[in-house]
Amino acid sequence: MKVLAVIDMQKDFIDGALGTKEAVDIVPAVIDEINKDYDVVLATLDTHDENYLQTREGRYLPVEHCIRNTEGWKLHKDVEKALALRNVIIIEKPTFGSQVLVDKINALRPDSVTFVGLCTDICVVSNALMVKNTLYETEVSVVENATAGVTEERKQAALETMSSCQINII
């Protein structure tokens, strides 16, 4: 069984509060990956409440983003259209890594798990390492051109870290 994990392809990370040109540029590659022959597709939504700035994360990153039920919290419209054609499992996550995502993937006992999305150096690396540590005999991969980091340097550092942990960078 092949699983695809689409991480946080939300407006605020693409062209909203924390958006970047690099995030905008990966949207077609993410959609291409969604359209491939995966048995199961899961997608995460970074999800915060209106008190975000008072949270630990909010004190370290004082930019309101992905506040539940706002425009910025929603999936990018083109990604949402592609996911609508799949039997996708949506998972809201309040922090970088999602134990719910890992548990759902673990229950599937897949042969491989592939990651795409944002941000390479925060949420992608967190979830990919969590999956690799839980399903250590499973092939875990990250599609390099379907991820973007906070900066290119941080993206490359995260890819190097994942590669060192036997995650395939494709």
Side-chain angles (χ1 to χ4, degrees):
M1 172 184 295
K2 293 171 34 179
V3 171
L4 176 65
V6 179
I7 306 298
D8 298 351
M9 288 299 294
Q10 294 159 268
K11 289 183 61 52
D12 270 347
F13 289 129
I14 297 171
D15 56 10
L18 295 171
T20 64
K21 178 191 178 308
E22 292 78 13
V24 171
D25 290 347
I26 71 163
V27 170
V30 169
I31 292 168
D32 287 346
E33 205 63 32
I34 291 168
N35 291 331
K36 289 185 179 176
D37 188 29
Y38 288 96
D39 299 299
V40 177
V41 177
L42 300 104
T44 64
L45 293 174
D46 192 49
T47 302
H48 302 293
D49 294 318
E50 291 181 13
N51 71 335
Y52 171 76
L53 293 176
Q54 285 73 53
T55 67
R56 186 174 201 288
E57 180 182 328
R59 290 190 300 273
Y60 282 90
L61 178 62
V63 177
E64 286 188 336
H65 66 281
C66 299
I67 306 299
R68 185 187 317 275
N69 297 323
T70 65
E71 280 302 307
W73 176 72
K74 295 177 182 175
L75 289 165
H76 182 279
K77 64 180 174 56
D78 296 335
V79 172
E80 184 176 39
K81 286 178 190 175
L83 289 171
L85 300 174
R86 305 297 305 253
N87 186 16
V88 66
I89 300 167
I90 302 286
I91 298 166
E92 293 181 16
K93 61 180 193 54
T95 190
F96 311 131
S98 171
Q99 189 62 50
V100 173
L101 174 67
V102 173
D103 290 346
K104 287 195 182 293
I105 292 172
N106 191 28
L108 295 168
R109 293 289 181 212
D111 300 309
S112 67
V113 181
T114 301
F115 285 86
V116 298
L118 300 165
C119 291
T120 318
D121 49 313
I122 302 173
C123 295
V124 174
V125 67
S126 295
N127 286 287
L129 287 171
M130 288 174 71
V131 167
K132 185 63 179 172
N133 285 325
T134 302
L135 289 90
Y136 46 86
E137 290 295 330
T138 300
E139 287 295 320
V140 177
S141 303
V142 173
V143 181
E144 182 173 1
N145 75 336
T147 68
V150 173
T151 66
E152 184 59 29
E153 295 77 22
R154 288 184 179 183
K155 173 182 175 172
Q156 291 306 315
L159 292 172
E160 186 175 322
T161 296
M162 289 185 280
S163 179
S164 294
C165 294
Q166 302 177 358
I167 293 172
N168 305 310
I169 309 303
I170 54 176

